[in-house]
Amino acid sequence: MKCFNKKPKKKIIFIMMLVISVFSLTGCSFKEFSDKFNDNFIKEQRYKYILDGLGNTFIITILAGLIGVFLGFILAVIRVTHDKKGSLKILNLVAKLYLTIIRGTPVMVQLMIIYYVIFASVNINKVLVAVIAFGLNSAAYVAEIIRSGIMSIDVGQFEAGHSLGLKYSTVMISIILPQALKNVLPALANEFITLLKETSISGYIGLSDLTRGGMIIRSITYEALFPLLLVAVIYLVLVVGLSSLVSKLERSLKKNER
Amino acid sequence: MKDNVIIHTEHLNKSYGKEVVLEDINIDIKKGEVIAVIGPSGCGKSTFIRTLNLLEKPTGGKIFFDDICITDKKTDIYDVLPKMGMVFQQFNLFNNMTIEKNITFAPIKHNLMSEEEAKAKAAELLERVGLSDKGNAYPSQLSGGQKQRVAIARALAMNPDIILFDEPTSALDPEMVNEVLNIMKELARGGMTMVIVTHEIGFAREVASRVLFIDDKGIKEDGTPKEVLDNPKSERLKSFLDSVL
């Protein structure tokens, strides 16, 4: 991705290439293209399926991301504290079990279990179910990312803190975590991007996310290519945009310290 | 404190699993002493100094600091540790903080000083180690020698009763060794109690008031630099001195 954000010129070329390749994928003349575009998206305000879906995708991704970071953070600190100090034995066992189960099963299965089993008898907002499912799933991956970040910090930083009489929690919060988070920021952002794409399975519990919006249009117009292509392009633009934001952030962090 | 003893160990033992590193260490460290700890690599001298401030938990025996038994589980070691500074081989400055913050962070956390007092103290210490202009720099912008001087300033900011030096010049380029040693000499002249694990025999002879030779899990010789360095009793120490000089 990096090569696309260095110079604005390259960005423009990239977008033009994208437009041309999308157009050529449809394999029709300009007239046909505009007819089909009209039929799929404009007529009866069908674009609303896409927009509403996009809204849900955003909500799910952002809230699940927040849950993931918050819970992942706690899991990571539990695991590291146990490894470094030998305390929190039971919590560590719970965390380990959690990570094994979540990372060892497909997110789609987790989503369906949460919807069809855990919340089976409750009338609950589907978006909320998706937020919980993806949040819990993401937490496991975030936990491992943050843990690897903490483990990558030289043990000397802990020792220096100890030698100054600083408590473990102070050292962790003020010295270790800021450095660890900075190191894993790209990995965390990648996890967020993965999460955004993974929410596309929300349709399996009948939730109208971006992907399902496209599928609804397809079921109306019996035309798969246009709606799905638009859905794909929207995901792509979001991911490329997020990636370039992350690399900007990375660069400014580097400037600040090193 | 009897006879100005600041650190006192009784039958101190340290082992990693089955491997015994230190065995039955009994020593009194008095106020104002500058102790050089020498010995072949892997003899346990770093482990010795690191057990004194509990970076390594002793597997047996007791350590007293100011007559407080710090190996006792009931003792709050966070009351005692601020009085024991430490300078590491790898400097271990906090990479996410400016030089000034590195120095002021712990004193402020311990409520030893207000933020203004801590900043004034940091400025004074930075001037003392010749780095007045580096307060806003980050550790990564400094050379090894400069980092180590900051590390010493950071230890001094706590107004410690003793500073432990764990091979403070071993990770430095040769031309930077002296800038660090000079500051340590100045500290010694100022009456600071210091325990220094070092390979710089010349420095030990010049600055130390007492030299410990650690070998084979214990303190094998203990005396003034003259006694230990110039008139070694054991063959081991003789051959060690021959090999490093």
Side-chain angles (χ1 to χ4, degrees):
Chain A
M1 284 307 146
K2 257 186 188 155
C3 56
F4 300 131
N5 347 314
K6 276 200 179 133
K7 283 178 192 161
K9 260 187 195 166
K10 281 193 177 168
K11 226 181 214 174
I12 293 167
I13 293 170
F14 171 67
I15 291 169
M16 276 170 61
M17 276 168 62
L18 188 67
V19 171
I20 291 168
S21 55
V22 167
F23 188 77
S24 56
L25 255 179
T26 62
C28 44
S29 71
F30 190 74
K31 174 78 176 52
E32 278 173 315
F33 186 90
S34 73
D35 280 351
K36 284 191 174 174
F37 189 87
N38 190 51
D39 199 34
N40 277 293
F41 303 127
I42 312 297
K43 210 167 159 188
E44 294 171 4
Q45 297 189 317
R46 282 173 193 158
Y47 64 87
K48 278 199 168 160
Y49 292 114
I50 299 283
L51 278 187
D52 292 348
L54 185 59
N56 279 335
T57 294
F58 271 144
I59 292 170
I60 296 168
T61 308
I62 290 167
L63 292 183
L66 287 176
I67 292 179
V69 168
F70 181 72
L71 194 61
F73 207 74
I74 294 171
L75 287 167
V77 171
I78 289 173
R79 297 272 288 113
V80 170
T81 304
H82 173 265
D83 288 356
K84 289 222 185 266
K85 296 188 62 173
S87 52
L88 306 177
K89 276 209 176 100
I90 293 166
L91 274 177
N92 180 58
L93 218 63
V94 173
K96 253 182 162 170
L97 190 69
Y98 181 82
L99 296 182
T100 308
I101 292 172
I102 295 286
R103 299 200 305 159
T105 54
V107 60
M108 198 201 281
V109 176
Q110 293 162 17
L111 176 69
M112 293 202 284
I113 287 177
I114 289 177
Y115 184 66
Y116 290 114
V117 181
I118 295 173
F119 290 121
S121 53
V122 200
N123 190 13
I124 188 170
N125 186 334
K126 285 175 183 169
V127 174
L128 189 61
V129 173
V131 166
I132 292 170
F134 288 112
L136 293 180
N137 179 268
S138 190
Y141 293 92
V142 169
E144 286 302 273
I145 290 170
I146 294 179
R147 192 171 77 95
S148 74
I150 297 173
M151 296 311 260
S152 75
I153 303 299
D154 182 38
V155 67
Q157 300 281 308
F158 282 100
E159 293 183 349
H162 172 92
S163 79
L164 290 164
L166 299 170
K167 293 212 164 73
Y168 176 81
S169 55
T170 309
V171 176
M172 196 51 132
I173 292 166
S174 300
I175 294 157
I176 306 300
L177 284 175
Q179 295 181 54
L181 284 181
K182 205 188 108 188
N183 288 354
V184 299
L185 201 65
L188 274 183
N190 278 333
E191 168 55 26
F192 190 73
I193 289 169
T194 306
L195 176 63
L196 171 74
K197 289 182 286 181
E198 267 179 357
T199 59
S200 63
I201 58 163
S202 302
Y204 275 88
I205 58 167
L207 171 67
S208 304
D209 74 321
L210 175 58
T211 306
R212 190 143 186 272
M215 294 299 278
I216 292 171
I217 295 177
R218 187 195 60 112
S219 67
I220 299 171
T221 61
Y222 298 108
E223 166 85 59
L225 183 62
F226 268 70
L228 288 182
L229 213 53
L230 181 66
V231 166
V233 167
I234 292 175
Y235 278 118
L236 185 63
V237 168
L238 288 176
V239 169
V240 171
L242 279 172
S243 303
S244 78
L245 268 181
V246 173
S247 56
K248 257 184 204 160
L249 192 65
E250 259 177 86
R251 255 175 286 151
S252 76
L253 275 172
K254 260 187 196 147
K255 242 184 251 163
N256 274 345
E257 275 189 33
R258 270 151 218 250
Chain B
M1 238 192 289
K2 46 176 183 241
D3 305 329
N4 276 333
V5 172
I6 186 162
I7 289 181
H8 167 73
T9 72
E10 278 174 14
H11 311 296
L12 194 62
N13 282 297
K14 173 71 189 175
S15 49
Y16 297 103
K18 277 184 188 156
E19 192 197 343
V20 180
V21 186
L22 293 173
E23 211 167 36
D24 199 25
I25 304 278
N26 298 288
I27 189 175
D28 283 340
I29 297 169
K30 293 189 184 109
K31 221 173 172 53
E33 276 189 319
V34 177
I35 300 180
V37 183
I38 58 171
S41 58
C43 68
K45 53 191 192 306
S46 272
T47 309
F48 165 67
I49 200 173
R50 286 161 59 87
T51 47
L52 292 182
N53 72 347
L54 303 178
L55 272 176
E56 307 285 348
K57 297 264 180 313
T59 35
K62 287 176 184 170
I63 302 171
F64 293 87
F65 179 89
D66 256 0
D67 294 336
I68 304 165
C69 181
I70 60 173
T71 42
D72 188 341
K73 273 194 179 136
K74 279 175 237 152
T75 310
D76 185 2
I77 58 166
Y78 295 105
D79 287 343
V80 179
L81 287 173
K83 295 177 204 154
M84 274 197 260
M86 186 160 200
V87 173
F88 298 85
Q89 182 177 355
Q90 298 295 341
F91 330 123
N92 297 346
L93 296 181
F94 302 134
N95 296 320
N96 60 324
M97 297 179 182
T98 62
I99 298 309
E100 185 187 55
K101 186 97 187 283
N102 260 281
I103 298 172
T104 59
F105 184 74
I108 293 173
K109 270 280 166 211
H110 286 291
N111 288 322
L112 296 177
M113 306 170 196
S114 71
E115 197 171 335
E116 290 80 47
E117 284 168 340
K119 279 185 176 173
K121 177 95 181 171
E124 177 203 316
L125 287 168
L126 281 176
E127 199 185 329
R128 201 159 142 198
V129 299
L131 292 168
S132 290
D133 53 335
K134 297 292 185 190
N136 292 319
Y138 280 90
S140 55
Q141 296 164 324
L142 267 53
S143 72
Q146 291 173 327
K147 282 185 204 175
Q148 198 59 300
R149 285 189 273 160
V150 172
I152 293 172
R154 178 174 70 177
L156 287 172
M158 302 289 288
N159 292 323
D161 294 337
I162 181 171
I163 302 183
L164 312 170
F165 292 82
D166 188 6
E167 303 199 26
T169 58
S170 298
L172 296 177
D173 291 337
E175 72 265 28
M176 293 170 181
V177 169
N178 275 328
E179 61 185 70
V180 172
L181 291 184
N182 284 338
I183 286 168
M184 290 167 63
K185 279 179 203 169
E186 216 173 281
L187 278 179
R189 273 198 292 271
M192 175 62 76
T193 314
M194 296 154 77
V195 180
I196 308 161
V197 172
T198 186
H199 293 289
E200 309 273 337
I201 302 296
F203 172 78
R205 177 176 282 126
E206 189 188 340
V207 179
S209 59
R210 183 176 171 194
V211 177
L212 303 181
F213 174 62
I214 296 189
D215 187 33
D216 193 26
K217 300 163 199 165
I219 298 172
K220 296 296 178 235
E221 299 206 21
D222 178 355
T224 63
K226 248 204 169 91
E227 290 167 355
V228 177
L229 298 175
D230 297 340
N231 303 299
K233 285 181 218 120
S234 64
E235 280 305 313
R236 288 284 308 174
L237 179 53
K238 262 179 216 161
S239 64
F240 171 71
L241 288 173
D242 284 344
S243 68
V244 291
L245 283 176

